[in-house]
Amino acid sequence: MSDNETGNGSSAHPSRRAFLRGAAAAGAGALTATGANAATPDPLITEVQPWAQAFGEGVDETPYGMPIKFEDDVVRRNVEWLTADTVSSINFTPIHALDGTITPQGCAFERHHSGAIELRKEDYRLMINGLVDTPLVFTYADLERFPRENHVYFCECAANTGMEWAGAQLNGAQFTHGMIHNMEYTGVPLRTLLEEAGLDTAGDLKDKWVFVEGADASSNGRSIPMEKALDDVLVAFKANGEALRKEHGYPVRLVVPGWEGNMWVKWIRRIEVTDQAIESREETSKYTDVLDNGIARKWTWAMDAKSVVTSPSPQAPITHGKGPLVVTGLAWSGRGAITRVDVSKDGGMTWETARLAKPGEKMALTRFYLDTDWDGSEMMLQSRAMDDTGYVQPTKAQLREVRGLNSIYHNNCIQTWLVRSNGEAENVEVS
Amino acid sequence: SPAMAEKFGLGRAALPAEIAAWDGDVSPDGTGLPVGSGDAIDGEEIFADQCAACHGDFAEGIDNWPKLAGGAGTLDHEDPLKTVGSYWPYLSTTYDYIKRSMPYGNAGTLSDDEVYAIVAYILYSNDLIDDDFVLSNETFFDVEMPNAGGFILDDRAETEYAQWTGAPCMENCKDSAVKVTMRAMVLDVTPQEEGEAPKAEPA
């Protein structure tokens, strides 16, 4: 391909003059006060720009696209000191930079216990055994022949916000609340597969369990009560329209609506019907919540109502000065649908009810907006979610009063961002 | 009841050898325990060879790697140490997890007897058995796990939901002026990147 300015016009090689003009215009724009009149014409308007003159990329350039390079800060990040190594670790969704509710798969958080494994559809097998009439083996192709359903659900790690129990620790919504993603799943109800194997052998289903485990070395085995298994659990193979990403369980994962992310077993290879909980490592040593008196709660499956302001936030400061300001964030509940989100600018002294972009959906992320006028004074921004059970998101003090400081998991406290008059924000706790 | 559910005729019957290969879980009541045995003296040697590089010679843990021994009586402390000895309720979990998922990076390579010996060594390191105690599928429940009674079922419905339900306060919700009591900036442990917004000025 020709590489001269009029031939290719690739934005990778803008002329130096155009670049300088662009930089000058950007500088001028930054100094322009809201609603003010321009003193001089904007060269981005008055002068023909390369993209308005020459060609962009052809349709054969990018068979599968990535975000434009200007968005290269919208990425997963990890916190090195959190874990002993990166293979049994966590990273964080850049929720501070996203909007709406659907998480792009490419920046949706990962949590592995023995790394993201590569498992071909041809090599995939799913076994159902235990107290079933006929133990079965399914191939991937078999799964695609069962009737499918589509549902949008959030997957939140039980440890999301866990580093904040003892105080304000990490400076950014991505790090404090980013162990979460929200996707539209396509899959087969677990109930369908259990019925294919037959549950007559199991007898009374009330006291039965399913034990699910993955194909990876960690296996991540978890026990799920039969009632939930037969209710809304999905064996999913598509997310946001396409195959699961490798790091999210390709080709098949479990989707457990409203419940802690650990139970969303990836690379799922076996489902066993049992007459007792297995009490595996991931439901004894881990994912149990120590209270002040040293006694621990177990089987704390549901994720309670929670919310966070994603912008403004430490990674998303206000750069436009006083005037119209969009305060936005996410709310969700594992026990139902979000019905209301309140926002406070003064650390919880007074509250305004925000606008939900769409009515809340059960066990899915809900986007809220507070369209407001910022006078430039310091704010202590908070959000407080309510779900359709009537539950109101608690403060950190309320949670600590019941649980102490050592439960690690299930921190759904109200988050405070201190927004300074210069527009910068930081993670704080308030009285 | 799903007894009358429609069947699609998909999948095939799992063979006994296939089920045996994949179904290795061990329940708290011992269901799934294989026949075998090992003691802490054998276990010490296997542990040194297979486990100590991360977990230490005495299961005390190296660097950030998990500590498998110690922490007795610390669960109600400011900084509880949760180990097999101080926290884990069932011995079955230790057997099950090691057999399936350890050694880290080389999982599923230990024989049943090796796992019994390693579990015995971890118990010995936690002062829960003598060094000549032979752990087997028959003696498995002679071992008392100190924290077996240390767990309650999720009780949020009783302890939290009622008091956090109802019409929330909208005005004059605090007794006194709101003050900042803690700042993440002070800790300064958040990953920083070039070109990120500069840090806020200290208050």
Side-chain angles (χ1 to χ4, degrees), chain A residues 77 81 129 135 137 171 195-196 213 217 270 272 276 279 288 296-298 302 304 349 351 392 403 426-427 429 431, chain B residues 7-9 12 14 23 25 87 93 100-101 150 152 155-156 160-161 164 170 173-174 179 181-184 189-190 193:
Chain A
R77 290 180 174 86
W81 54 261
N129 74 306
V137 172
N171 214 29
E195 287 170 351
E196 189 70 16
E213 63 180 5
R270 196 171 66 91
E272 181 185 359
Q276 58 186 317
E279 299 271 12
T288 51
R297 289 173 176 165
K298 70 174 182 180
D304 290 323
M349 183 70 85
W351 296 85
V392 181
R403 305 186 199 166
E426 62 168 301
N427 176 8
E429 281 186 20
S431 57
Chain B
K7 293 245 201 280
F8 295 91
R12 61 159 176 90
D23 182 353
D25 53 74
Y87 192 59
T93 313
R100 189 192 352 253
S101 298
I152 55 170
D155 64 351
R156 286 175 291 178
E160 297 179 6
Y161 294 163
W164 297 337
M170 296 299 284
C173 302
K174 305 253 180 169
K179 288 193 175 65
T181 55
M182 205 171 264
R183 303 175 54 212
V189 291
T190 310
E193 288 166 54

Short mmCIF file of all heavy atoms in Angstrom, two decimals, chain A residues 77 81 129 135 137 171 195-196 213 217 270 272 276 279 288 296-298 302 304 349 351 392 403 426-427 429 431, chain B residues 7-9 12 14 23 25 87 93 100-101 150 152 155-156 160-161 164 170 173-174 179 181-184 189-190 193:
data_model
loop_
_atom_site.label_atom_id
_atom_site.label_comp_id
_atom_site.label_asym_id
_atom_site.label_seq_id
_atom_site.Cartn_x
_atom_site.Cartn_y
_atom_site.Cartn_z
N ARG A 77 -6.45 -4.61 35.10
CA ARG A 77 -5.23 -4.36 35.85
C ARG A 77 -5.16 -5.33 37.01
O ARG A 77 -6.18 -5.78 37.51
CB ARG A 77 -5.20 -2.92 36.38
CG ARG A 77 -5.03 -1.87 35.31
CD ARG A 77 -5.00 -0.45 35.88
NE ARG A 77 -4.68 0.52 34.85
CZ ARG A 77 -5.57 1.08 34.04
NH1 ARG A 77 -6.85 0.77 34.15
NH2 ARG A 77 -5.20 1.95 33.12
N TRP A 81 0.81 -7.20 44.83
CA TRP A 81 1.04 -7.62 46.22
C TRP A 81 -0.11 -8.41 46.82
O TRP A 81 0.01 -8.95 47.92
CB TRP A 81 1.37 -6.42 47.11
CG TRP A 81 0.36 -5.30 47.07
CD1 TRP A 81 0.45 -4.14 46.35
CD2 TRP A 81 -0.87 -5.21 47.79
NE1 TRP A 81 -0.66 -3.36 46.56
CE2 TRP A 81 -1.48 -3.98 47.44
CE3 TRP A 81 -1.54 -6.05 48.71
CZ2 TRP A 81 -2.72 -3.57 47.97
CZ3 TRP A 81 -2.76 -5.64 49.22
CH2 TRP A 81 -3.33 -4.42 48.86
N ASN A 129 -22.72 -37.48 37.18
CA ASN A 129 -22.71 -38.79 37.86
C ASN A 129 -23.26 -38.63 39.27
O ASN A 129 -23.83 -37.59 39.62
CB ASN A 129 -21.30 -39.40 37.86
CG ASN A 129 -20.36 -38.71 38.84
OD1 ASN A 129 -20.18 -37.49 38.79
ND2 ASN A 129 -19.75 -39.49 39.72
N PRO A 135 -25.65 -42.20 34.75
CA PRO A 135 -24.53 -41.27 34.63
C PRO A 135 -24.23 -41.04 33.15
O PRO A 135 -24.23 -42.00 32.37
CB PRO A 135 -23.37 -42.00 35.32
CG PRO A 135 -24.02 -43.05 36.18
CD PRO A 135 -25.28 -43.43 35.48
N VAL A 137 -22.11 -38.82 29.82
CA VAL A 137 -21.01 -38.01 29.30
C VAL A 137 -21.55 -37.24 28.10
O VAL A 137 -22.14 -37.84 27.20
CB VAL A 137 -19.81 -38.87 28.88
CG1 VAL A 137 -18.77 -38.01 28.16
CG2 VAL A 137 -19.19 -39.57 30.08
N ASN A 171 -6.89 3.01 45.51
CA ASN A 171 -7.41 4.28 45.04
C ASN A 171 -7.98 4.18 43.64
O ASN A 171 -7.35 4.58 42.67
CB ASN A 171 -6.30 5.34 45.11
CG ASN A 171 -6.89 6.70 45.45
OD1 ASN A 171 -7.91 6.80 46.12
ND2 ASN A 171 -6.25 7.75 44.98
N GLU A 195 -32.11 -33.60 34.42
CA GLU A 195 -33.27 -34.41 34.05
C GLU A 195 -32.92 -35.41 32.96
O GLU A 195 -33.49 -36.51 32.89
CB GLU A 195 -34.43 -33.51 33.62
CG GLU A 195 -35.05 -32.80 34.82
CD GLU A 195 -36.05 -31.71 34.44
OE1 GLU A 195 -36.15 -31.38 33.24
OE2 GLU A 195 -36.72 -31.19 35.35
N GLU A 196 -31.98 -35.04 32.10
CA GLU A 196 -31.53 -35.99 31.06
C GLU A 196 -30.88 -37.21 31.71
O GLU A 196 -31.06 -38.34 31.24
CB GLU A 196 -30.55 -35.28 30.12
CG GLU A 196 -30.17 -36.07 28.87
CD GLU A 196 -31.33 -36.20 27.86
OE1 GLU A 196 -32.31 -35.44 27.96
OE2 GLU A 196 -31.23 -37.07 26.97
N GLU A 213 -17.32 -29.27 39.39
CA GLU A 213 -15.88 -28.98 39.36
C GLU A 213 -15.40 -28.74 37.94
O GLU A 213 -16.03 -29.17 36.97
CB GLU A 213 -15.08 -30.11 40.02
CG GLU A 213 -15.18 -31.45 39.32
CD GLU A 213 -14.35 -32.52 40.02
OE1 GLU A 213 -13.78 -32.25 41.10
OE2 GLU A 213 -14.28 -33.64 39.49
N ALA A 217 -6.48 -27.73 37.00
CA ALA A 217 -5.81 -28.41 38.11
C ALA A 217 -6.42 -28.06 39.46
O ALA A 217 -6.52 -28.89 40.35
CB ALA A 217 -4.31 -28.06 38.11
N ARG A 270 -17.54 -31.73 35.44
CA ARG A 270 -18.29 -32.77 36.14
C ARG A 270 -19.33 -32.17 37.08
O ARG A 270 -19.08 -31.15 37.73
CB ARG A 270 -17.34 -33.66 36.96
CG ARG A 270 -17.96 -34.98 37.39
CD ARG A 270 -16.90 -35.90 38.00
NE ARG A 270 -16.37 -35.35 39.24
CZ ARG A 270 -16.88 -35.62 40.44
NH1 ARG A 270 -17.93 -36.41 40.56
NH2 ARG A 270 -16.34 -35.10 41.53
N GLU A 272 -21.94 -33.70 39.96
CA GLU A 272 -22.27 -34.93 40.71
C GLU A 272 -23.44 -34.65 41.65
O GLU A 272 -23.41 -33.70 42.43
CB GLU A 272 -21.06 -35.38 41.53
CG GLU A 272 -21.30 -36.66 42.32
CD GLU A 272 -20.12 -37.03 43.22
OE1 GLU A 272 -19.10 -36.31 43.23
OE2 GLU A 272 -20.24 -38.05 43.92
N GLN A 276 -24.95 -35.04 50.30
CA GLN A 276 -24.35 -34.15 51.29
C GLN A 276 -23.45 -33.15 50.57
O GLN A 276 -23.01 -33.41 49.46
CB GLN A 276 -23.53 -34.93 52.31
CG GLN A 276 -22.40 -35.76 51.69
CD GLN A 276 -21.69 -36.65 52.70
OE1 GLN A 276 -21.39 -36.23 53.80
NE2 GLN A 276 -21.42 -37.90 52.31
N GLU A 279 -18.10 -30.10 51.14
CA GLU A 279 -17.26 -29.28 52.04
C GLU A 279 -15.83 -29.24 51.50
O GLU A 279 -14.86 -29.52 52.20
CB GLU A 279 -17.27 -29.84 53.47
CG GLU A 279 -18.66 -29.86 54.10
CD GLU A 279 -18.99 -28.56 54.84
OE1 GLU A 279 -18.25 -27.55 54.68
OE2 GLU A 279 -20.00 -28.54 55.57
N THR A 288 -15.45 -18.80 53.33
CA THR A 288 -16.14 -18.81 54.62
C THR A 288 -15.71 -17.51 55.30
O THR A 288 -14.59 -17.05 55.10
CB THR A 288 -15.74 -20.02 55.47
OG1 THR A 288 -14.31 -20.13 55.54
CG2 THR A 288 -16.32 -21.31 54.89
N ALA A 296 -17.06 -18.75 62.05
CA ALA A 296 -17.17 -18.34 60.64
C ALA A 296 -18.52 -18.75 60.06
O ALA A 296 -19.04 -19.82 60.36
CB ALA A 296 -16.04 -18.96 59.83
N ARG A 297 -19.04 -17.87 59.21
CA ARG A 297 -20.21 -18.24 58.43
C ARG A 297 -19.77 -19.09 57.25
O ARG A 297 -18.75 -18.80 56.63
CB ARG A 297 -20.89 -16.99 57.86
CG ARG A 297 -21.60 -16.13 58.87
CD ARG A 297 -22.05 -14.86 58.17
NE ARG A 297 -22.84 -14.00 59.05
CZ ARG A 297 -23.10 -12.73 58.78
NH1 ARG A 297 -22.64 -12.17 57.67
NH2 ARG A 297 -23.83 -12.00 59.60
N LYS A 298 -20.54 -20.13 56.94
CA LYS A 298 -20.28 -20.87 55.72
C LYS A 298 -21.52 -20.79 54.82
O LYS A 298 -22.60 -20.43 55.26
CB LYS A 298 -19.92 -22.33 56.01
CG LYS A 298 -21.07 -23.18 56.55
CD LYS A 298 -20.61 -24.64 56.67
CE LYS A 298 -21.74 -25.53 57.14
NZ LYS A 298 -21.29 -26.95 57.26
N ALA A 302 -25.35 -15.89 48.46
CA ALA A 302 -25.90 -14.72 47.75
C ALA A 302 -25.03 -13.49 47.94
O ALA A 302 -24.46 -13.26 49.01
CB ALA A 302 -27.32 -14.44 48.26
N ASP A 304 -25.16 -9.61 48.30
CA ASP A 304 -26.19 -8.64 48.69
C ASP A 304 -26.12 -7.36 47.85
O ASP A 304 -25.13 -7.10 47.16
CB ASP A 304 -26.05 -8.30 50.17
CG ASP A 304 -26.42 -9.46 51.07
OD1 ASP A 304 -27.37 -10.18 50.73
OD2 ASP A 304 -25.75 -9.64 52.11
N MET A 349 -25.04 12.71 54.67
CA MET A 349 -25.93 13.56 55.48
C MET A 349 -27.27 13.75 54.76
O MET A 349 -28.33 13.61 55.37
CB MET A 349 -25.26 14.92 55.71
CG MET A 349 -26.06 15.86 56.59
SD MET A 349 -26.10 15.33 58.32
CE MET A 349 -24.57 16.05 58.93
N TRP A 351 -29.43 12.93 50.87
CA TRP A 351 -29.45 12.03 49.71
C TRP A 351 -30.42 12.53 48.65
O TRP A 351 -31.45 13.12 48.96
CB TRP A 351 -29.86 10.62 50.14
CG TRP A 351 -28.90 9.97 51.08
CD1 TRP A 351 -28.86 10.11 52.45
CD2 TRP A 351 -27.82 9.09 50.75
NE1 TRP A 351 -27.83 9.38 52.97
CE2 TRP A 351 -27.17 8.73 51.95
CE3 TRP A 351 -27.34 8.56 49.55
CZ2 TRP A 351 -26.07 7.87 51.99
CZ3 TRP A 351 -26.25 7.70 49.59
CH2 TRP A 351 -25.62 7.37 50.80
N VAL A 392 -31.63 -2.25 52.04
CA VAL A 392 -30.90 -1.03 51.73
C VAL A 392 -29.41 -1.28 51.97
O VAL A 392 -29.02 -1.76 53.04
CB VAL A 392 -31.37 0.14 52.62
CG1 VAL A 392 -30.61 1.42 52.28
CG2 VAL A 392 -32.87 0.34 52.49
N ARG A 403 -20.10 -7.93 61.73
CA ARG A 403 -19.15 -8.96 61.29
C ARG A 403 -17.71 -8.76 61.76
O ARG A 403 -16.89 -9.67 61.61
CB ARG A 403 -19.12 -9.01 59.76
CG ARG A 403 -20.48 -9.24 59.13
CD ARG A 403 -20.31 -9.43 57.64
NE ARG A 403 -21.56 -9.22 56.91
CZ ARG A 403 -21.62 -9.06 55.59
NH1 ARG A 403 -20.51 -9.09 54.87
NH2 ARG A 403 -22.77 -8.89 54.99
N GLU A 426 -10.51 10.85 45.57
CA GLU A 426 -9.77 9.78 46.25
C GLU A 426 -10.68 8.96 47.14
O GLU A 426 -11.75 9.41 47.56
CB GLU A 426 -8.58 10.33 47.05
CG GLU A 426 -8.95 11.29 48.16
CD GLU A 426 -7.75 11.57 49.07
OE1 GLU A 426 -7.21 10.61 49.67
OE2 GLU A 426 -7.37 12.74 49.20
N ASN A 427 -10.21 7.74 47.41
CA ASN A 427 -10.95 6.78 48.22
C ASN A 427 -10.76 7.13 49.69
O ASN A 427 -9.63 7.14 50.18
CB ASN A 427 -10.42 5.36 47.92
CG ASN A 427 -11.05 4.29 48.79
OD1 ASN A 427 -11.99 4.55 49.54
ND2 ASN A 427 -10.52 3.08 48.69
N GLU A 429 -12.70 7.00 53.89
CA GLU A 429 -13.79 6.62 54.79
C GLU A 429 -14.19 7.88 55.53
O GLU A 429 -13.37 8.77 55.78
CB GLU A 429 -13.34 5.55 55.79
CG GLU A 429 -13.30 4.17 55.20
CD GLU A 429 -12.99 3.10 56.24
OE1 GLU A 429 -13.17 3.35 57.46
OE2 GLU A 429 -12.55 2.02 55.82
N SER A 431 -16.76 9.67 58.82
CA SER A 431 -17.40 9.40 60.10
C SER A 431 -18.90 9.15 59.92
O SER A 431 -19.49 9.60 58.95
CB SER A 431 -17.20 10.58 61.04
OG SER A 431 -17.71 11.76 60.45
N LYS B 7 -37.04 -36.35 27.90
CA LYS B 7 -35.63 -36.68 27.66
C LYS B 7 -35.30 -36.42 26.19
O LYS B 7 -36.13 -36.59 25.31
CB LYS B 7 -35.37 -38.16 27.98
CG LYS B 7 -35.51 -38.50 29.45
CD LYS B 7 -34.17 -38.92 30.02
CE LYS B 7 -34.30 -39.75 31.28
NZ LYS B 7 -34.55 -38.99 32.47
N PHE B 8 -34.10 -35.98 25.92
CA PHE B 8 -33.69 -35.65 24.56
C PHE B 8 -32.86 -36.75 23.93
O PHE B 8 -32.62 -36.74 22.72
CB PHE B 8 -32.91 -34.34 24.55
CG PHE B 8 -33.76 -33.17 24.95
CD1 PHE B 8 -33.84 -32.78 26.28
CD2 PHE B 8 -34.50 -32.47 24.01
CE1 PHE B 8 -34.65 -31.71 26.66
CE2 PHE B 8 -35.31 -31.40 24.38
CZ PHE B 8 -35.38 -31.02 25.72
N GLY B 9 -32.38 -37.70 24.76
CA GLY B 9 -31.56 -38.77 24.23
C GLY B 9 -30.17 -38.32 23.81
O GLY B 9 -29.55 -38.93 22.95
N ARG B 12 -24.13 -39.88 26.29
CA ARG B 12 -24.05 -41.35 26.36
C ARG B 12 -23.76 -41.75 27.80
O ARG B 12 -23.33 -40.91 28.60
CB ARG B 12 -22.96 -41.88 25.43
CG ARG B 12 -21.57 -41.36 25.79
CD ARG B 12 -20.46 -42.24 25.25
NE ARG B 12 -19.13 -41.70 25.52
CZ ARG B 12 -18.43 -41.97 26.62
NH1 ARG B 12 -18.94 -42.72 27.58
NH2 ARG B 12 -17.22 -41.45 26.78
N ALA B 14 -21.97 -42.88 31.00
CA ALA B 14 -20.57 -42.81 31.46
C ALA B 14 -20.13 -44.19 31.90
O ALA B 14 -20.88 -44.91 32.57
CB ALA B 14 -20.46 -41.82 32.62
N ASP B 23 -14.17 -38.83 39.35
CA ASP B 23 -14.88 -38.60 40.62
C ASP B 23 -13.98 -39.00 41.78
O ASP B 23 -13.96 -40.15 42.22
CB ASP B 23 -16.18 -39.42 40.65
CG ASP B 23 -16.96 -39.18 41.94
OD1 ASP B 23 -16.44 -38.49 42.84
OD2 ASP B 23 -18.09 -39.68 42.03
N ASP B 25 -13.81 -36.92 44.69
CA ASP B 25 -14.08 -36.09 45.86
C ASP B 25 -14.34 -36.93 47.11
O ASP B 25 -14.86 -38.04 47.03
CB ASP B 25 -15.25 -35.11 45.61
CG ASP B 25 -16.50 -35.81 45.11
OD1 ASP B 25 -17.16 -36.47 45.94
OD2 ASP B 25 -16.81 -35.68 43.91
N TYR B 87 -8.14 -23.87 61.51
CA TYR B 87 -9.38 -23.41 60.86
C TYR B 87 -10.18 -24.49 60.15
O TYR B 87 -11.39 -24.53 60.26
CB TYR B 87 -9.04 -22.29 59.87
CG TYR B 87 -10.24 -21.54 59.33
CD1 TYR B 87 -11.11 -20.86 60.18
CD2 TYR B 87 -10.50 -21.50 57.96
CE1 TYR B 87 -12.21 -20.16 59.68
CE2 TYR B 87 -11.60 -20.79 57.46
CZ TYR B 87 -12.44 -20.13 58.32
OH TYR B 87 -13.52 -19.43 57.84
N THR B 93 -11.36 -32.67 53.57
CA THR B 93 -11.03 -31.60 52.64
C THR B 93 -9.53 -31.59 52.34
O THR B 93 -9.12 -31.36 51.20
CB THR B 93 -11.44 -30.24 53.21
OG1 THR B 93 -12.78 -30.33 53.73
CG2 THR B 93 -11.38 -29.16 52.17
N ARG B 100 -6.20 -33.88 44.55
CA ARG B 100 -6.68 -33.37 43.26
C ARG B 100 -5.83 -32.21 42.73
O ARG B 100 -5.59 -32.12 41.53
CB ARG B 100 -8.13 -32.92 43.38
CG ARG B 100 -8.75 -32.59 42.04
CD ARG B 100 -10.09 -31.87 42.14
NE ARG B 100 -10.61 -31.80 43.48
CZ ARG B 100 -11.62 -32.51 43.93
NH1 ARG B 100 -12.21 -33.36 43.14
NH2 ARG B 100 -12.05 -32.32 45.17
N SER B 101 -5.38 -31.32 43.60
CA SER B 101 -4.88 -30.02 43.12
C SER B 101 -3.45 -29.68 43.55
O SER B 101 -2.96 -28.60 43.24
CB SER B 101 -5.82 -28.91 43.58
OG SER B 101 -7.11 -29.10 43.01
N GLY B 150 -16.50 -24.74 64.40
CA GLY B 150 -16.28 -23.31 64.26
C GLY B 150 -17.07 -22.62 63.16
O GLY B 150 -16.77 -21.47 62.83
N ILE B 152 -20.93 -21.66 61.29
CA ILE B 152 -22.40 -21.57 61.34
C ILE B 152 -22.91 -21.37 59.91
O ILE B 152 -22.18 -20.88 59.04
CB ILE B 152 -22.88 -20.41 62.23
CG1 ILE B 152 -22.26 -19.08 61.77
CG2 ILE B 152 -22.59 -20.68 63.69
CD1 ILE B 152 -22.87 -17.85 62.42
N ASP B 155 -26.25 -16.69 58.26
CA ASP B 155 -27.36 -16.21 59.10
C ASP B 155 -27.72 -14.76 58.80
O ASP B 155 -28.31 -14.08 59.63
CB ASP B 155 -27.00 -16.36 60.58
CG ASP B 155 -25.81 -15.48 60.98
OD1 ASP B 155 -25.16 -14.90 60.07
OD2 ASP B 155 -25.54 -15.37 62.19
N ARG B 156 -27.37 -14.28 57.62
CA ARG B 156 -27.65 -12.87 57.29
C ARG B 156 -29.14 -12.55 57.38
O ARG B 156 -29.51 -11.44 57.75
CB ARG B 156 -27.11 -12.53 55.90
CG ARG B 156 -25.60 -12.39 55.86
CD ARG B 156 -25.07 -12.18 54.45
NE ARG B 156 -25.24 -13.37 53.62
CZ ARG B 156 -24.88 -13.42 52.32
NH1 ARG B 156 -24.38 -12.35 51.72
NH2 ARG B 156 -25.04 -14.53 51.63
N GLU B 160 -28.95 -9.51 59.73
CA GLU B 160 -28.71 -8.30 58.94
C GLU B 160 -29.95 -7.78 58.20
O GLU B 160 -30.25 -6.59 58.25
CB GLU B 160 -27.59 -8.56 57.91
CG GLU B 160 -26.25 -8.89 58.57
CD GLU B 160 -25.15 -9.16 57.55
OE1 GLU B 160 -25.38 -9.01 56.33
OE2 GLU B 160 -24.04 -9.55 57.99
N TYR B 161 -30.63 -8.66 57.51
CA TYR B 161 -31.64 -8.19 56.54
C TYR B 161 -32.74 -7.36 57.19
O TYR B 161 -33.14 -6.33 56.66
CB TYR B 161 -32.22 -9.36 55.75
CG TYR B 161 -31.21 -10.06 54.84
CD1 TYR B 161 -31.45 -11.31 54.32
CD2 TYR B 161 -30.01 -9.43 54.51
CE1 TYR B 161 -30.52 -11.94 53.48
CE2 TYR B 161 -29.08 -10.04 53.69
CZ TYR B 161 -29.34 -11.30 53.17
OH TYR B 161 -28.42 -11.92 52.35
N TRP B 164 -31.60 -3.84 58.03
CA TRP B 164 -31.17 -3.01 56.91
C TRP B 164 -32.24 -2.95 55.82
O TRP B 164 -31.95 -2.83 54.64
CB TRP B 164 -29.84 -3.52 56.33
CG TRP B 164 -28.73 -3.43 57.34
CD1 TRP B 164 -28.67 -2.60 58.42
CD2 TRP B 164 -27.52 -4.21 57.37
NE1 TRP B 164 -27.51 -2.82 59.11
CE2 TRP B 164 -26.78 -3.79 58.50
CE3 TRP B 164 -26.99 -5.21 56.56
CZ2 TRP B 164 -25.54 -4.35 58.84
CZ3 TRP B 164 -25.76 -5.76 56.89
CH2 TRP B 164 -25.04 -5.33 58.01
N MET B 170 -33.13 10.31 54.31
CA MET B 170 -32.80 11.14 53.16
C MET B 170 -32.21 12.50 53.55
O MET B 170 -31.52 13.13 52.76
CB MET B 170 -34.05 11.37 52.30
CG MET B 170 -34.63 10.12 51.65
SD MET B 170 -33.50 9.26 50.50
CE MET B 170 -33.58 10.34 49.06
N CYS B 173 -29.01 12.96 58.12
CA CYS B 173 -28.83 11.55 58.46
C CYS B 173 -27.68 11.29 59.43
O CYS B 173 -27.47 10.17 59.85
CB CYS B 173 -28.65 10.73 57.19
SG CYS B 173 -30.04 10.89 56.06
N LYS B 174 -26.91 12.30 59.74
CA LYS B 174 -25.78 12.11 60.67
C LYS B 174 -25.94 13.06 61.85
O LYS B 174 -26.48 14.15 61.72
CB LYS B 174 -24.46 12.40 59.94
CG LYS B 174 -24.26 11.59 58.68
CD LYS B 174 -23.21 10.52 58.88
CE LYS B 174 -23.03 9.72 57.60
NZ LYS B 174 -21.87 8.85 57.63
N LYS B 179 -16.83 13.86 58.68
CA LYS B 179 -15.38 14.09 58.56
C LYS B 179 -14.73 12.90 57.87
O LYS B 179 -15.17 11.76 58.01
CB LYS B 179 -14.75 14.23 59.95
CG LYS B 179 -15.10 15.54 60.66
CD LYS B 179 -14.18 15.71 61.87
CE LYS B 179 -14.38 17.05 62.54
NZ LYS B 179 -15.74 17.18 63.13
N THR B 181 -12.15 10.13 57.78
CA THR B 181 -11.45 9.44 58.86
C THR B 181 -10.31 8.55 58.35
O THR B 181 -9.48 8.10 59.12
CB THR B 181 -12.43 8.54 59.64
OG1 THR B 181 -13.08 7.65 58.71
CG2 THR B 181 -13.49 9.38 60.34
N MET B 182 -10.28 8.27 57.05
CA MET B 182 -9.25 7.40 56.50
C MET B 182 -9.09 7.67 55.01
O MET B 182 -10.08 7.91 54.32
CB MET B 182 -9.65 5.94 56.72
CG MET B 182 -8.50 5.00 56.76
SD MET B 182 -9.02 3.36 57.28
CE MET B 182 -8.66 3.37 59.00
N ARG B 183 -7.83 7.64 54.54
CA ARG B 183 -7.58 7.95 53.13
C ARG B 183 -6.68 6.87 52.51
O ARG B 183 -5.63 6.56 53.05
CB ARG B 183 -6.89 9.30 53.00
CG ARG B 183 -7.66 10.45 53.62
CD ARG B 183 -6.84 11.73 53.55
NE ARG B 183 -6.41 12.00 52.19
CZ ARG B 183 -5.25 12.61 51.89
NH1 ARG B 183 -4.44 12.99 52.85
NH2 ARG B 183 -4.92 12.82 50.64
N ALA B 184 -7.07 6.38 51.33
CA ALA B 184 -6.25 5.40 50.63
C ALA B 184 -4.91 6.00 50.22
O ALA B 184 -3.90 5.31 50.15
CB ALA B 184 -6.99 4.87 49.40
N VAL B 189 -0.74 2.21 48.08
CA VAL B 189 -0.39 0.87 47.60
C VAL B 189 -1.09 0.55 46.28
O VAL B 189 -1.08 -0.58 45.83
CB VAL B 189 -0.77 -0.21 48.64
CG1 VAL B 189 0.13 -0.12 49.85
CG2 VAL B 189 -2.24 -0.12 49.03
N THR B 190 -1.71 1.57 45.66
CA THR B 190 -2.40 1.36 44.40
C THR B 190 -1.41 1.39 43.25
O THR B 190 -0.54 2.27 43.23
CB THR B 190 -3.47 2.45 44.18
OG1 THR B 190 -4.25 2.55 45.36
CG2 THR B 190 -4.36 2.14 42.99
N GLU B 193 0.54 4.20 37.02
CA GLU B 193 1.06 4.07 35.67
C GLU B 193 1.45 5.42 35.13
O GLU B 193 0.93 6.44 35.55
CB GLU B 193 -0.01 3.45 34.76
CG GLU B 193 -0.23 1.99 35.07
CD GLU B 193 -1.50 1.48 34.43
OE1 GLU B 193 -1.63 1.64 33.22
OE2 GLU B 193 -2.33 0.92 35.15
#
